[in-house]
């Protein structure tokens, strides 16, 4: 889906670097592992792999460009240029990266004879690339454009509709390349969905920490001065003792959480500490709305 680019107004160079890095990872997965193994795991890349097989004069990068051009045109008609935003760039940049790799490093055969190993990388590389792209608030284009149109004009469950279309492409690949390849494509389609979600959550994961300590001033100083973070402070009463205590809640990275726990171990071994993982923290100092 298309989102407002998070880094666009803050640091365009970082935003552009991450966007292109994510697109390149996706292109590498397509060219190095999907294409030579005929892993047509849905999406525009899957259709492009099949078209390149049906029309030998057409390479995967060229087929991807033609499909994405048609989808961008549809997006401009039904969604408008403002809504499409950076999706237009992503669609054509991904095609360009695939075409570049085809020229620089041709892949007439797979790297290995281990099809399952090849499938793992065919899923992992595009998943990493998609996660990086989504994490900066952009889109890889392709079927994302179809999803945006369906979401705007119909009441369909977009995720389910796209999954059905991906599986249909996998079945098509099975008919063209053999049942074994079709089954690998189906397996890869399901694995891709889980892998992208896991990668995105991994990039965004933070620790939500709640602390009750007998040395609240020391804790406050450590969070503000050493970790350069802030916290929410409120007063709570213990059910058993009836004693009022100050409770601190803060959100930290994994490294900062370890530093805080080590500090409490030294400064107040009797402190009460809870740590909860969160994959979506929105607000000042984290992701913008």
């Amino acid at each position: 889906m298309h989102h407002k680019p998070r880094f666009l107004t803050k640091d365009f160079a970082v935003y552009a670097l991450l966007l292109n890095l994510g697109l390149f990872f996706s292109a590498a997965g397509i060219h190095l592992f999907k294409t030579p193994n005929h892993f047509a795991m849905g999406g525009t890349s899957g259709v492009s792999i099949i078209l390149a097989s049906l029309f030998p004069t057409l390479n995967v990068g060229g087929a991807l460009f033609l499909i994405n051009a048609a989808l961008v045109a549809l997006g401009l008609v039904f969604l408008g240029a403002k809504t499409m935003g950076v999706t237009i760039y992503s669609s054509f940049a991904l095609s360009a990266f695939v075409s570049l790799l085809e020229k620089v490093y041709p892949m007439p055969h797979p790297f290995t004879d281990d099809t399952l190993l090849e499938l793992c990388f065919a899923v992992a590389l595009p998943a990493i690339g998609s996660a990086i792209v989504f994490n900066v608030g952009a889109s890889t284009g392709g079927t994302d454009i179809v999803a945006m149109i369906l979401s705007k004009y119909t009441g369909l469950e977009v995720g389910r509709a796209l999954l059905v279309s991906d599986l249909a492409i996998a079945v098509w690949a099975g008919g063209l390349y053999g049942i074994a390849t079709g089954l690998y494509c189906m397996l890869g389609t399901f694995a891709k969905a889980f892998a992208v979600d896991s990668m995105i959550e991994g990039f965004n994961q933070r620790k939500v920490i709640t602390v009750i300590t007998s040395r609240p001033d020391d804790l406050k100083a450590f969070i503000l001065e050493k970790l350069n973070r802030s916290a929410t402070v409120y007063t709570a009463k213990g059910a058993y003792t009836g004693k009022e205590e100050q409770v601190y809640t803060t959100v930290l990275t994994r490294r900062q959480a370890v530093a805080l726990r080590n500090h409490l171990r030294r400064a107040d071994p009797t402190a009460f500490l809870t740590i909860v993982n969160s994959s979506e923290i929105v607000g000042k100092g984290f992701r913008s709305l």
Side-chain angles (χ1 to χ4, degrees):
M1 299 295 180
H2 172 69
H3 303 283
K4 181 180 179 182
R6 191 187 327 155
F7 297 114
L8 194 55
T9 57
K10 297 179 180 179
D11 192 341
F12 180 76
V14 173
Y15 173 79
L17 176 63
L18 289 175
L19 175 61
N20 284 289
L21 180 64
L23 293 171
F24 184 80
F25 269 112
S26 297
I30 293 170
H31 174 64
L32 299 177
F33 297 99
K34 287 186 178 182
T35 301
N37 290 283
H38 301 135
F39 290 149
M41 297 183 294
T44 53
S45 64
V47 176
S48 299
I49 290 169
I50 291 174
L51 290 179
S53 297
L54 295 175
F55 303 98
T57 57
L58 185 66
N59 58 26
V60 174
L64 194 60
F65 178 86
L66 293 175
I67 295 171
N68 281 336
L71 290 175
V72 166
L74 282 175
L76 290 173
V77 171
F78 289 101
L79 301 171
K82 185 176 181 180
T83 301
M84 289 287 289
V86 75
T87 301
I88 299 173
Y89 170 79
S90 298
S91 298
F92 292 119
L94 180 62
S95 308
F97 281 135
V98 172
S99 296
L100 177 64
L101 287 170
E102 287 175 332
K103 287 182 173 58
V104 173
Y105 196 87
M107 286 291 296
H109 306 289
F111 281 116
T112 71
D113 294 327
D114 190 333
T115 308
L116 187 58
L117 178 64
E118 297 273 325
L119 180 67
C120 290
F121 280 90
V123 170
L125 281 178
I128 293 171
S130 295
I132 293 172
V133 171
F134 293 157
N135 199 49
V136 298
S139 162
T140 54
T143 50
D144 284 351
I145 298 172
V146 177
M148 291 161 68
I149 295 172
L150 289 174
S151 178
K152 182 175 181 179
Y153 290 100
T154 74
L156 292 175
E157 271 193 60
V158 176
R160 183 175 298 178
L162 292 179
L163 178 60
V164 170
S165 68
D166 286 348
L167 290 176
I169 294 170
V171 170
W172 188 8
L176 189 62
Y177 304 119
I179 293 177
T181 298
L183 291 175
Y184 275 119
C185 290
M186 287 186 180
L187 180 62
T189 298
F190 287 114
K192 179 179 67 174
F194 287 109
V196 171
D197 287 344
S198 298
M199 293 288 181
I200 292 173
E201 288 185 2
F203 285 143
N204 295 326
Q205 190 174 89
R206 295 292 183 267
K207 305 289 185 180
V208 180
I209 300 177
T210 301
V211 185
I212 301 174
T213 176
S214 59
R215 301 184 60 188
D217 292 337
D218 175 79
L219 174 64
K220 178 181 177 181
F222 185 80
I223 293 174
L224 295 178
E225 298 170 13
K226 299 296 184 180
L227 300 181
N228 295 315
R229 303 302 311 174
S230 187
T232 299
V233 186
Y234 55 95
T235 302
K237 182 183 290 187
Y240 179 72
T241 63
K243 182 181 178 182
E244 290 190 345
E245 299 277 5
Q246 282 191 325
V247 181
Y248 281 73
T249 299
T250 185
V251 180
L252 305 175
T253 64
R254 185 187 302 273
R255 180 185 60 80
Q256 291 171 332
V258 171
L260 176 61
R261 187 170 60 184
N262 290 338
H263 174 76
L264 286 171
R265 185 181 292 121
R266 294 188 300 268
D268 184 11
T270 63
F272 182 81
L273 175 73
T274 62
I275 302 177
V276 178
N277 289 331
S278 176
S279 61
E280 194 72 19
I281 301 293
V282 179
K284 186 177 181 181
F286 296 95
R287 301 188 68 177
S288 59
L289 287 171

